[in-house]
Structures are given as structure tokens and as C-alpha cells.
Amino acid sequence: MKENGITRATGSCRADGSMRFLLCGSGSKGNCFLLQDERVSLMIDCGGTKNRIMAGLNELGIGPDDLDAVLITHDHTDHIAQLKTVQHRPLYSACRLSGVSRTEIVPEVPFQIGHLTITPIALSHDVPDTVGFVIESINGKLVYITDTGYIRDAALPLLKGADYIILESNHDTEMLMKTSRPVFLKMRIAGDSGHLCNEDCAAVLRKIVTVNTKLVVLAHISQQANTREKALAVSGRALETLGSRRSDLILCAAAQDELLRGGDWPNEKVDGGSCSRTFDLECVADSANQ
């Protein structure tokens, strides 16, 4: 569902609290993710334009000073371009951030931000110390993973059974190879230290989606080497094999230049469209336009 330029992909409301999030941008032009519950507000990455980040914060009714923490996945520009805007807040990263104070985090070693337990997940990208995050509280569990060539089997138990999954579905391999990009760049993207293709994303989803999962967001979709429809179709086919027990699962694909809202938002009617009841390919494709 789309209102005022914001895509809403809201799952079922929880009786034991609230966890809501906003994907402010996902892709090579900038990445920023905001999560808020009744007690904590945090940001994952601060890439893209300052205007877009501020629009996301405004949507949550907060400003940079209200952030309890900023988590950094890695130091590529599309993930830290607006670091100056938030560097006065507590920063957590496994990678070094030039000229900025941060708390060093270690993959697979959980830490606390208020009542949230956050576990960094080691990823395979072309810069060292790239991580994703698993965020847990009594209100739910969320997985956020982009920018990785593959996901280690050892990490799958940590990812399994999340309420909300934001997972990279970066490229269609055939489309990637037909782009005008240099061969070395194509190989980097498709390699073990690059980005997840649609098929690899779908294979991971089949292993980590459970009856607990309400919403899957396909993220970091390439604008040159993929389409939202292709990503949705591939993951849709994979999730269909999970059977009717996943009839309430919502699948959507994030665009680079729009705010995508998910989780539990107060005073808002839950509307997942027909995708909240069925999971045929036609329904999955339609979800890109809701």
C-alpha cells in the first residue's frame, strides 16, 4: 500500500509491544535503515542524501539527537555518506571509521542497546569487517543483511525465524553480464565478496523463513542489473515451496528512492493486500505496485 509517496508493507500488529522500521534507501545511491520501538530508536547506516535521511527521521517523529545508536555495516560511501550528521550519537561498527569515535563490535558477539540485543553477523564483501545485524527484543526479531557475496551456513541458525527479514537480492546474473560494466566489476559483484544474486537470496530465504515470519523485504536491488519484478518472482517461487503454512507472509521489494515502512505502526490499518492471504506469482508481482 502506498500513501504520500511512502510504501507501507506492514505485518500483523503484536499484542506484546511494537517494533516498526523504515527503509530510507537501499542500493548503490545510498543505504539507511531506521528502527524504533517504544523505548529505543536506532539507525543502520547513513548513506544517501541528508534530505532523505531527515525525511525518514521525520516520518518517525524524531531527529538525529533522538537516536540511541547508529550501527554501521561497512565503510563504503553509499553506507556512510552522511556520517557527519549522526557522528555525535553513539556509533557501533566492526570497521574503522576515519576521524570518528566508535564502539568496536565483534561478529557473533551480542551487545545491548537499551533492551535490544544486537548480534553482528560476519559477511563476505570486498572491504574488511562488513557485517549485518540481528536485532531482538520481546517485541520481535529482525534480520538486516545486505552487501555480501554469500551467507555462511554457520550463520543461518542466528537468522532463522525472524519476524522481519531485510535481505539483499542485488542482481539477476544474466542481466548483470549484459551490462556495459567492465568485466572485472561484473566478476566482483557476482563473486564471493560481492553481492547476493536473486537465486542466492531465495535459497537463503527458504532456509530462514518460518511460521514466525511476517514480512520479507528484498533490498539493495541493482537498478542496472535487476528489476523488482525479477527479484520478487525468484523469491516468490522459493517461498511458495514452503506451503500453505506461509499464507500470511508478505513479500515486497525495496526501490532505491522511496521510503518503505514495515512492522507495527500505531493507528494504521493493516493492509497487506491479497499477498497477506496467498502466495501465487501474480500476487507477488502485484505487491511491487501496492
Side-chain angles (χ1 to χ4, degrees):
M1 182 171 64
K2 199 165 187 176
E3 297 177 12
N4 300 321
I6 298 172
T7 297
R8 284 141 166 69
T10 310
S12 302
C13 291
R14 301 179 64 89
D16 57 352
S18 63
M19 177 184 284
R20 59 181 181 168
F21 61 84
L22 194 67
L23 195 60
C24 301
S26 185
S28 60
K29 293 180 180 178
N31 298 270
C32 180
F33 179 83
L34 296 166
L35 183 144
Q36 184 183 66
D37 69 4
E38 67 272 22
R39 286 182 283 170
V40 175
S41 298
L42 62 81
M43 175 184 288
I44 300 178
D45 289 339
C46 51
T49 67
K50 183 176 181 179
N51 285 344
R52 178 156 293 276
I53 289 177
M54 294 306 297
L57 292 169
N58 289 339
E59 179 69 11
L60 289 173
I62 62 175
D65 292 346
D66 299 309
L67 291 169
D68 294 288
V70 178
L71 315 180
I72 301 297
T73 61
H74 63 295
D75 64 356
H76 276 162
T77 302
D78 57 323
H79 294 259
I80 62 168
Q82 303 304 322
L83 194 58
K84 288 183 179 180
T85 302
V86 295
Q87 67 182 11
H88 63 292
R89 305 309 300 153
L91 296 174
Y92 296 79
S93 71
C95 64
R96 294 182 178 179
L97 301 171
S98 179
V100 177
S101 175
R102 51 111 188 190
T103 297
E104 183 176 1
I105 57 178
V106 179
E108 282 69 62
V109 177
F111 61 98
Q112 296 291 133
I113 302 294
H115 65 288
L116 297 180
T117 300
I118 302 173
T119 305
I121 304 297
L123 302 180
S124 177
H125 202 40
D126 58 353
V127 290
D129 301 317
T130 299
V131 298
F133 295 102
V134 177
I135 301 172
E136 298 176 87
S137 78
I138 192 173
N139 299 330
K141 176 179 177 179
L142 181 143
V143 167
Y144 183 91
I145 288 181
T146 67
D147 295 77
T148 189
Y150 68 95
I151 295 176
R152 296 171 298 112
D153 287 342
L156 295 176
L158 296 173
L159 311 182
K160 191 170 183 178
D163 298 81
Y164 309 111
I165 299 171
I166 295 88
L167 182 64
E168 174 173 76
S169 189
N170 176 257
H171 61 275
D172 172 86
T173 303
E174 184 177 353
M175 283 186 67
L176 173 64
M177 294 307 164
K178 289 181 178 179
T179 65
S180 60
R181 295 170 176 176
V183 173
F184 80 87
L185 181 56
K186 296 176 184 179
M187 295 300 102
R188 181 189 76 79
I189 293 170
D192 284 350
S193 59
H195 293 273
L196 287 180
C197 67
N198 292 338
E199 287 74 16
D200 288 345
C201 170
V204 171
L205 288 175
R206 286 193 62 193
K207 296 175 182 178
I208 67 174
V209 167
T210 72
V211 294
N212 294 328
T213 309
K214 299 180 180 70
L215 173 66
V216 174
V217 179
L218 306 178
H220 214 296
I221 296 173
S222 172
Q223 293 182 299
Q224 292 184 325
N226 206 358
T227 67
R228 297 169 75 187
E229 292 75 17
K230 283 181 179 290
L232 286 164
V234 174
S235 285
R237 285 193 291 269
L239 294 178
E240 281 183 327
T241 65
L242 296 179
S244 60
R245 65 190 179 90
R246 287 300 343 123
S247 61
D248 60 342
L249 175 65
I250 299 171
L251 173 70
C252 61
Q256 171 70 81
D257 297 322
E258 71 178 6
L259 302 178
L260 191 149
R261 176 190 276 192
D264 303 329
W265 288 74
N267 303 319
E268 180 173 337
K269 180 181 177 181
V270 174
D271 183 8
S274 59
C275 284
S276 64
R277 299 185 300 276
T278 185
F279 215 64
D280 57 63
L281 291 180
E282 180 178 291
C283 169
V284 171
D286 285 347
S287 71
N289 300 315
Q290 291 176 1

